[in-house]
Amino acid sequence: MRHGASEQQAGIGHQTETHVTWDEELVPGPRGRTDRPEADCPVEVALAAVSGRWTTLLLRELMGGPRGFMELRTLLPELSAKVLSDRLRALRESGLVTADRRRGFPARTRYVLTEAGRSLRSLLVELYATGEELQRLSERRGESPRSPGEGAHP
């Protein structure tokens, strides 16, 4: 629920006004200084870019260069054609991938990461490293690592 205009004018209840200190590494700019998830928060933008089942794997494969639809199906054999089409469409709509349609018969389409798509490389590398560290720590505590989606919050 948004705070009323009079509260905002008075600076009451607005996180950017009331938070004492910010960890400048975690929150270097004002768009992250919020008390609830906001669509323009850089963390939310990055998470939305890689969200969705198969998205990180598709991005990983496209990091290797342009790929055709059937090439992606071969690289990810358990990914259905429908889900692949859906994910590629979503990646195109979000500006992370372009479709390079080649003339000829049959027409060929190659999917290519945009500059924004390529910028996700460091995030994917860090997510992988963090996942390995979390697995290592849970194994050290004698827990079994969780599968994706297992124990997810409702």
Side-chain angles (χ1 to χ4, degrees):
M1 187 165 124
R2 286 227 176 254
H3 299 290
S6 62
E7 289 176 327
Q8 285 182 349
Q9 288 172 351
I12 300 169
H14 192 272
Q15 182 95 8
T16 56
E17 301 294 329
T18 60
H19 199 280
V20 178
T21 60
W22 292 99
D23 179 327
E24 289 297 320
E25 183 179 24
L26 286 173
V27 189
R31 286 183 289 175
R33 296 174 184 160
T34 179
D35 59 356
R36 64 188 204 138
E38 299 285 350
D40 69 340
C41 171
V43 172
E44 296 296 324
V45 170
L47 289 174
V50 297
S51 70
R53 195 164 176 90
W54 294 100
T55 301
T56 55
L57 296 178
L58 272 173
L59 290 167
R60 179 196 69 194
E61 296 305 334
L62 291 169
M63 290 290 168
R67 308 271 191 219
F69 188 89
M70 291 310 295
E71 187 178 4
L72 290 166
R73 292 282 324 270
T74 300
L75 292 166
L76 302 167
E78 293 190 32
L79 175 57
S80 73
K82 180 189 180 328
V83 173
L84 175 56
S85 293
D86 290 348
R87 292 299 172 268
L88 288 170
R89 184 180 328 99
L91 289 169
R92 284 194 332 265
E93 289 171 358
S94 64
L96 300 173
V97 170
T98 60
D100 178 23
R101 192 164 175 89
R102 303 280 171 118
R103 290 183 162 187
F105 184 80
R108 302 264 187 225
T109 302
R110 307 276 289 164
Y111 297 93
V112 181
L113 289 173
T114 62
E115 182 179 357
R118 289 187 305 275
S119 76
L120 293 170
R121 181 181 182 80
S122 60
L123 175 62
L124 294 175
V125 167
E126 192 58 37
L127 284 171
Y128 190 95
T130 301
E132 279 190 324
E133 179 67 5
L134 291 171
Q135 287 175 328
R136 186 186 68 72
L137 291 170
S138 74
E139 289 167 0
R140 210 165 86 196
R141 289 190 314 263
E143 302 170 2
S144 60
R146 291 189 347 207
S147 301
E150 185 180 312
H153 296 284

